[in-house]
Amino acid sequence: MIRRRPALLDALRQARVAVLGRLPGAAARPASTIAPIDWRRAAPGLPVPPPLLLDDIPVVPARRLHHEVLSDGGPVWPDFDTTPLVRHLIHDTPADINATPARRPGPRLDRPVIWGGRCLFHFGHLAAEHLNRLPGALYHHPGAEALFLLPPGKLGREVPGYFWDMTAWFGLRPDRVRLVTRPMVAGRLTVTPQTEHMSAHPPPDWHLDLLDQLPGLHGLEPVPNRALYVTRMGQLPRGSGAHAGEAALVEALRAAGVAIMDPGREGLMRQMALYAGARLLIFAEGSAMHGRQLLGRVDQTILVLRRRPHSTMARAQLQPRCTRLDYAPVIRGFAAPIHLGGSEMLPHGITFLAPQRLFGILRGYGVELAPHWDGDRFAAAEARDAQLWRDAILARSDIDRVATLDRMSAVLTRMGVA
């Protein structure tokens, strides 16, 4: 009922921050698991465009969601419609709205700060579109603080640990992150471009030049692997998309000599070391692919096992970072829930692999999977995953239940797991 009354939901979020935000520990943040770097040690003279400098910019907290995962709030930009550099793009289209000034402007920050963007509680979106203003800004201003906008109703202590690791990887210590929970005025605000987003356009070379500096600045030691598979196991019981039977696939890959990484169980530095050292990097299509965007260029092949028909997720972003990028057409069946509005919820779909096709594709990359394949084990894992996914999807409140049941029943029957 509350979700159907946006104004009430907005008021409850604001009240939550007003009350809980005054309690001890509301702004707590962890010690960084990644040692700070000094951008002054980076290669001098990289062709990084100078930032935009703005004086006396009001900054306000978020009050409500505006566009799916975006919210209002943040800097009140002057000349908002005619200054593309400050805008947040999705699929090459501005998707943000300008903030509304607060009745009380709040304290003035006299020291220079940079605009970091939105502290979204989603690893993939942070890596793909929300944190990439940082390297260019810190290259020019290595000691600056950065402003980040929290989602509506959230507190600093609730910020996920991966946000702190990702910002530290880019060279920003936790104590230099300022989370926007109350109005303030930035006396001097530094703004650099959003260099990457969900788009068909690659990042600028200068951005990759900056990312190429990070392994050396961090003293990263790549972990060599002939082949590394990045899994999405555990997503289907949560109603998120994945390949059915992936546990059996992982067993076979491991027996074939492929290293396995679960990004949910590895720290960020370990992930970067594994990505940097893999000659063949195989992804189960998903948000972990965006984690590879935290690195620059590596002499490696990236192979994506599709889980959505015809998907070329992150092609423009990954292609300039590797020697070869391929998307494997390994799907024999796919079902996605239907939203109340009638659209397919593709990220939440279940994918059924075509094993023989998978064997042939991997053989072309030097991975012999067939000798290690247990068809009965895989079939049992598929059936178990399909039931867990079905139960999780039907527990959602945002699906068209009749249409979703029709779709899933037809596909699961055809796959032999109904």
Side-chain angles (χ1 to χ4, degrees):
M1 181 65 71
I2 290 177
R3 290 185 178 275
R4 297 177 184 174
R5 300 176 64 184
L8 177 57
L9 184 57
D10 294 341
L12 289 173
R13 285 171 173 156
Q14 293 172 51
R16 181 178 188 271
V17 173
V19 174
L20 298 182
R22 299 181 183 280
L23 297 179
R29 56 195 67 193
S32 175
T33 62
I34 296 178
I37 63 171
D38 187 348
W39 273 102
R40 289 171 295 189
R41 292 176 43 235
L46 295 180
V48 181
L52 176 66
L53 301 177
L54 298 171
D55 293 330
D56 298 322
I57 301 298
V59 183
V60 298
R63 299 180 59 188
R64 59 180 61 90
L65 289 175
H66 153 62
H67 179 282
E68 297 177 354
V69 293
L70 290 185
S71 64
D72 63 357
V76 182
W77 302 111
D79 304 316
F80 179 69
D81 294 324
T82 57
T83 312
L85 185 142
V86 306
R87 304 298 301 272
H88 184 87
L89 303 179
I90 299 178
H91 299 301
D92 301 315
T93 302
D96 52 354
I97 58 175
N98 203 4
T100 301
R103 281 178 291 183
R104 293 188 177 91
R108 188 177 189 274
L109 299 178
D110 289 322
R111 55 192 175 280
V113 292
I114 63 178
W115 170 234
R118 290 168 172 82
C119 173
L120 198 69
F121 289 21
H122 187 288
F123 179 92
H125 282 285
L126 281 173
E129 55 180 331
H130 285 279
L131 294 182
N132 52 59
R133 296 180 190 267
L134 285 178
L138 291 170
Y139 185 74
H140 286 294
H141 300 283
E145 291 185 1
L147 298 178
F148 284 94
L149 183 69
L150 280 176
K154 297 298 184 181
L155 304 171
R157 70 183 184 206
E158 297 168 319
V159 173
Y162 53 74
F163 169 83
W164 302 109
D165 285 344
M166 294 164 81
T167 51
W169 169 255
F170 281 143
L172 188 67
R173 296 198 314 264
D175 61 357
R176 296 211 309 264
V177 172
R178 178 177 284 269
L179 301 172
V180 179
T181 57
R182 286 181 172 77
M184 64 185 72
V185 176
R188 170 59 63 94
L189 185 64
T190 297
V191 191
T192 47
Q194 180 193 14
T195 52
E196 298 192 275
H197 59 282
M198 309 298 186
S199 168
H201 297 290
D205 285 342
W206 61 262
H207 179 68
L208 296 180
D209 291 343
L210 287 170
L211 298 187
D212 287 344
Q213 298 288 308
L214 290 174
L217 291 174
H218 281 288
L220 187 75
E221 296 185 8
V223 177
N225 277 300
R226 177 178 65 88
L228 172 71
Y229 175 69
V230 184
T231 177
R232 282 182 62 82
M233 282 195 304
Q235 295 299 316
L236 290 174
R238 304 173 187 169
S240 294
H243 297 97
E246 192 178 5
L249 169 63
V250 164
E251 286 184 19
L253 286 169
R254 186 177 281 119
V258 176
I260 307 297
M261 185 182 84
D262 179 348
R265 296 175 179 270
E266 299 285 0
L268 190 68
M269 285 291 283
R270 174 71 175 174
Q271 292 181 45
M272 296 301 102
L274 285 165
Y275 288 156
R279 298 293 297 155
L280 171 63
L281 180 54
I282 308 171
F283 281 105
E285 180 195 327
S287 290
M289 293 167 61
H290 297 306
R292 176 61 181 82
Q293 290 179 237
L294 302 180
L295 280 175
R297 306 170 182 98
V298 178
D299 180 14
Q300 67 186 177
T301 294
I302 298 178
L303 175 65
V304 181
L305 304 187
R306 281 182 174 146
R307 63 179 178 85
R308 291 174 287 190
H310 313 297
S311 172
T312 55
M313 175 181 174
R315 179 191 288 277
Q317 291 70 46
L318 293 180
Q319 198 135 41
R321 287 172 158 87
C322 64
T323 310
R324 178 181 175 186
L325 172 65
D326 291 322
Y327 292 79
V330 293
I331 300 173
R332 87 174 197 276
F334 176 78
I338 308 300
H339 192 266
L340 285 170
S343 61
E344 279 191 295
M345 302 168 71
L346 296 177
H348 301 279
I350 187 170
T351 306
F352 295 89
L353 289 165
Q356 295 300 322
R357 199 180 307 161
L358 178 63
F359 299 161
I361 290 171
L362 289 179
R363 187 175 301 117
Y365 296 90
V367 177
E368 286 290 348
L369 193 63
H372 309 283
W373 192 259
D374 186 326
D376 291 339
R377 186 185 295 271
F378 179 70
E382 264 195 332
R384 183 171 58 252
D385 282 349
Q387 186 60 52
L388 292 170
W389 175 80
R390 181 184 185 277
D391 293 345
I393 292 300
L394 293 180
R396 297 179 66 109
S397 61
D398 57 349
I399 63 167
D400 182 324
R401 190 175 180 85
V402 173
T404 296
L405 272 169
D406 286 346
R407 178 69 56 84
M408 68 169 49
S409 295
V411 174
L412 298 189
T413 299
R414 193 164 66 249
M415 296 297 105
V417 293

